[in-house]
Amino acid sequence: MQIIITKNYEELSKEAAKIVRTRILEKPNLVLGLATGSTPLGLYQALIKMHQQENLDFREARTFNLDEYVGLAPDHPQSYNYYMRENLFKHINIKKENVFIPKGIAENIEEFCQQYEYGIKKRGGIDLQILGIGRDGHIGFNEPGTSFTSRTHIVNLDSVTIEDNARFFNNESEVPRRAITMGIGTIMEAKECLMLVSGAYKTEIIARALQGQITEKVPASVLQKHPNLTVILDEEAANRLEV
Ligand code: F6R
């Protein structure tokens, strides 16, 4: 595991973008796993800048998002589909047919989840997976107690996650209670994982995840077993890490 501690969020985002750029230059048809939420926004802005100023080319890149709320259509402003379009895709030259996001309004969710897994496999697996971490230790929407061998599936969100994500909605009651997420087994098969952690409120959970016991009670702790993991933290988030 490689741990990089940066002064602040801006530096964290730049460091992450440099890693993504290197991987795209090495492999233009990179299969990139993407996350949503607040943390990767700076990374996406930095990548947009690289595309605009250095012609960083996403034409051949393929992307698979970690998760999506059940019941939200792609044009719903709080859907992750909408988030990805607004915060990254519409500003770069990625092809629409190379973008994959779980379908929150799939008629048959179980069948959809299997197709999603197959879609990843068919493209050779995820080369680089971007991850954040929830305050309860979740990765993707794999909440505490999720099996380390889980594949893409439907989940009930924890009260902590609903509370944390209410900031994106008018109020907590509007936050969908269910989501589709890549499983922990799916995430662990990515050839490389890049986790981004920012802010004082992540201090405790990231220390438990990276330096505590490996347990399904802290889903992110499984990453200690990943053969190619880089974690970039800002100083605030790294406060309790022993380095
Ligand atoms: C979102 C995702 C989640 C977030 C996590 C942290 O696609 O996979 O696991 O990474 O909830 O969210 P933020 O970055 O908003 O603190």
Side-chain angles (χ1 to χ4, degrees), residues 30-238:
L30 192 77
V31 180
L32 189 55
L34 294 174
T36 56
S38 304
T39 316
L41 284 172
L43 159 66
Y44 297 153
Q45 276 159 20
L47 289 175
I48 292 167
K49 214 163 158 190
M50 286 171 175
H51 171 68
Q52 291 169 344
Q53 297 180 353
E54 309 165 17
N55 292 325
L56 183 62
D57 193 355
F58 293 87
R59 215 171 9 181
E60 301 304 324
R62 284 83 52 88
T63 65
F64 282 88
N65 263 77
L66 280 168
D67 41 21
E68 177 62 287
Y69 290 116
V70 167
L72 298 195
D75 57 354
H76 189 290
Q78 268 75 40
S79 73
Y80 287 165
N81 200 305
Y82 187 92
Y83 167 110
M84 287 311 305
R85 249 178 301 141
E86 289 301 309
N87 293 306
L88 182 63
F89 297 148
K90 78 175 190 191
H91 307 284
I92 60 175
N93 65 336
I94 193 151
K95 290 185 192 153
K96 229 175 164 179
E97 63 266 32
N98 287 342
V99 164
F100 301 91
I101 302 176
K103 192 173 174 188
I105 52 166
E107 260 174 45
N108 184 336
I109 291 186
E110 273 182 23
E111 197 178 288
F112 176 83
C113 291
Q114 281 174 18
Q115 281 168 9
Y116 205 67
E117 287 281 330
Y118 177 69
I120 294 171
K121 219 177 226 152
K122 203 173 115 190
R123 287 162 188 85
I126 291 171
D127 293 304
L128 173 63
Q129 176 65 56
I130 308 297
L131 294 169
I133 182 170
R135 204 158 42 107
D136 60 2
H138 69 229
I139 47 174
F141 268 141
N142 295 288
E143 300 286 22
T146 307
S147 161
F148 282 167
T149 60
S150 54
R151 313 300 309 184
T152 300
H153 64 297
I154 184 166
V155 292
N156 293 318
L157 298 179
D158 261 18
S159 53
V160 176
T161 303
I162 292 169
E163 196 183 299
D164 279 352
N165 289 4
R167 69 188 192 280
F168 299 112
F169 293 79
N170 290 324
N171 57 60
E172 208 176 296
S173 67
E174 284 183 15
V175 184
R177 271 32 188 178
R178 294 189 306 162
I180 299 172
T181 181
M182 277 186 206
I184 296 182
T186 322
I187 293 170
M188 284 298 281
E189 276 173 17
K191 294 170 193 101
E192 180 177 5
C193 287
L194 176 59
M195 174 170 260
L196 310 180
V197 195
S198 167
Y201 78 111
K202 298 278 178 76
T203 306
E204 202 174 312
I205 191 62
I206 194 60
R208 279 177 68 200
L210 300 183
Q211 295 175 337
Q213 194 195 345
I214 300 176
T215 163
E216 287 177 354
K217 289 184 194 147
V218 182
S221 65
V222 73
L223 293 167
Q224 293 182 38
K225 296 199 279 190
H226 196 282
N228 191 359
L229 167 70
T230 301
V231 186
I232 312 182
L233 311 98
D234 58 18
E235 277 178 5
E236 273 187 355

